[in-house]
């Protein structure tokens, strides 16, 4: 299984963030935002303010067909695209954020934008910008099975191996999202091609669901950690600070996206400030789960 750190100073940022939160006996707080939402300037302001409360920032690449996302993130991605998002905005935002502080920066993109840009160039630019790692949730071999074969696959192998080679060469962590009802063998296989974090959904279905966390989630987290040897991030369905506190008791990282964006939607004239307030509330949630000192 892949548990060692890739040879990259940027990848080490995630390892350090996880080590800090582990020393505090809590999960690391990861906050997700599509780059360019609600505008380039307001989104970057929001990310800088969110960084004051987060251990990890996950920068999303807006896409026209975000198959795993619910209406909240779909709307945010569409707004960012309408505002003129370009891939250069991702690299510029990451460069600015990593230069400004110690918060680790990850990226999340569906496969198609990476394929169009060029996997090798994309990975190299991410690493140059200080990004620690990448989650590509719809790779056919490692995601939900919703992807399809492409010309790139035929020329250079599968999409997953194409990306893994590019990420390894650039020194990036490659995170994966476990599919529903994955067998032990499948989880072990995912662990062998994953580094940094492996992602577990807190609730079934699309992002942004507002329902109780699965009662089986603690067992699933322990199972994934045992079979892969990797830190486990819980996301997709963390909707309240109380749920963040609940998941922080057994996960290595808690990822929140739709809940922050939902608040930004409600206060469009103060999106950055509202994002900062939401980040603070979720940070208090993960810290609330820390066991009392003895």
């Amino acid at each position: 299984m892949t548990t060692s750190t890739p040879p990259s100073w940027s990848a080490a940022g995630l390892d350090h963030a996880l080590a800090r939160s582990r020393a505090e006996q809590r999960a690391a707080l990861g906050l997700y935002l599509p780059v360019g939402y609600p505008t380039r300037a307001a989104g970057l302001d929001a990310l800088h303010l969110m960084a004051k409360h987060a251990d990890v920032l996950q920068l999303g690449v807006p896409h026209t067909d975000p198959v795993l996302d619910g209406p909240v993130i779909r709307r945010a991605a569409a707004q960012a695209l309408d505002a003129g998002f370009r891939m250069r905005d991702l690299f510029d935002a990451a460069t600015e954020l990593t230069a400004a502080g110690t918060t680790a920066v990850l990226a999340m993109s569906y496969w198609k934008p990476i394929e169009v840009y060029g996997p090798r160039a994309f990975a190299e630019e991410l690493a140059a910008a200080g990004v620690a790692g990448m989650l590509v949730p719809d790779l056919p071999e490692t995601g939900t099975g919703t992807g399809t074969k492409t010309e790139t696959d035929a020329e250079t192998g599968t999409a997953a191996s194409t990306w893994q080679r590019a990420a390894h060469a650039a020194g990036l962590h490659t995170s994966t999202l476990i599919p529903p009802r994955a067998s032990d063998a499948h989880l072990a296989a995912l662990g062998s091609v994953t580094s940094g974090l492996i992602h577990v959904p807190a609730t079934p279905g699309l992002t942004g669901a507002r329902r109780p966390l699965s009662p089986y989630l603690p067992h699933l987290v322990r199972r994934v950690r045992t079979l892969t040897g990797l830190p486990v991030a819980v996301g997709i369905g963390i909707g309240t600070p109380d749920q963040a506190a609940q998941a922080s008791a057994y996960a290595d990282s808690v990822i929140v996206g739709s809940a922050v964006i939902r608040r930004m939607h409600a206060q469009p004239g103060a999106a950055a400030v509202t994002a900062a307030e939401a980040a603070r509330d979720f940070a208090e949630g993960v810290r609330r789960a820390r066991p009392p000192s003895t």
Side-chain angles (χ1 to χ4, degrees), residues 228-245:
T228 67
L230 290 161
V232 178
V234 169
I236 307 182
I238 304 293
T240 68
D242 285 344
Q243 288 181 327

Side-chain angles (χ1 to χ4, degrees), residues 161-232:
S161 61
T162 298
W163 172 250
Q164 288 153 11
R165 286 194 298 270
H168 180 77
L172 295 174
H173 280 305
T174 295
S175 297
T176 54
L177 173 67
I178 70 164
R181 298 175 296 279
S183 67
D184 286 358
H186 194 176
L187 289 176
L190 289 176
S192 71
V193 295
T194 301
S195 65
L197 282 172
I198 191 161
H199 291 247
V200 170
T203 59
L206 303 178
T207 63
R210 290 195 275 189
R211 59 172 71 101
L213 302 186
S214 167
Y216 305 105
L217 187 59
H219 171 73
L220 177 59
V221 168
R222 289 192 296 270
R223 177 170 162 251
V224 171
R225 189 184 289 119
T226 298
L227 290 167
T228 67
L230 290 161
V232 178

Side-chain angles (χ1 to χ4, degrees), residues 256-281:
V256 183
S258 296
V260 174
I261 297 168
R262 190 177 287 114
R263 293 202 204 180
M264 295 171 72
H265 283 338
Q267 297 290 334
V273 173
T274 302
E277 292 171 349
R280 179 202 61 210
D281 292 345

Side-chain angles (χ1 to χ4, degrees), residues 93-144:
T95 299
E96 186 170 325
L97 290 164
T98 55
T102 58
T103 304
V105 176
L106 299 176
M108 194 285 276
S109 176
Y110 290 94
W111 174 244
K112 191 63 177 180
I114 299 173
E115 183 188 27
V116 170
Y117 195 87
R120 181 174 178 179
F122 186 77
E124 289 174 348
E125 295 224 37
L126 283 180
V131 173
M134 185 75 199
L135 172 65
V136 187
D138 65 335
L139 285 180
E141 296 76 18
T142 61
T144 61

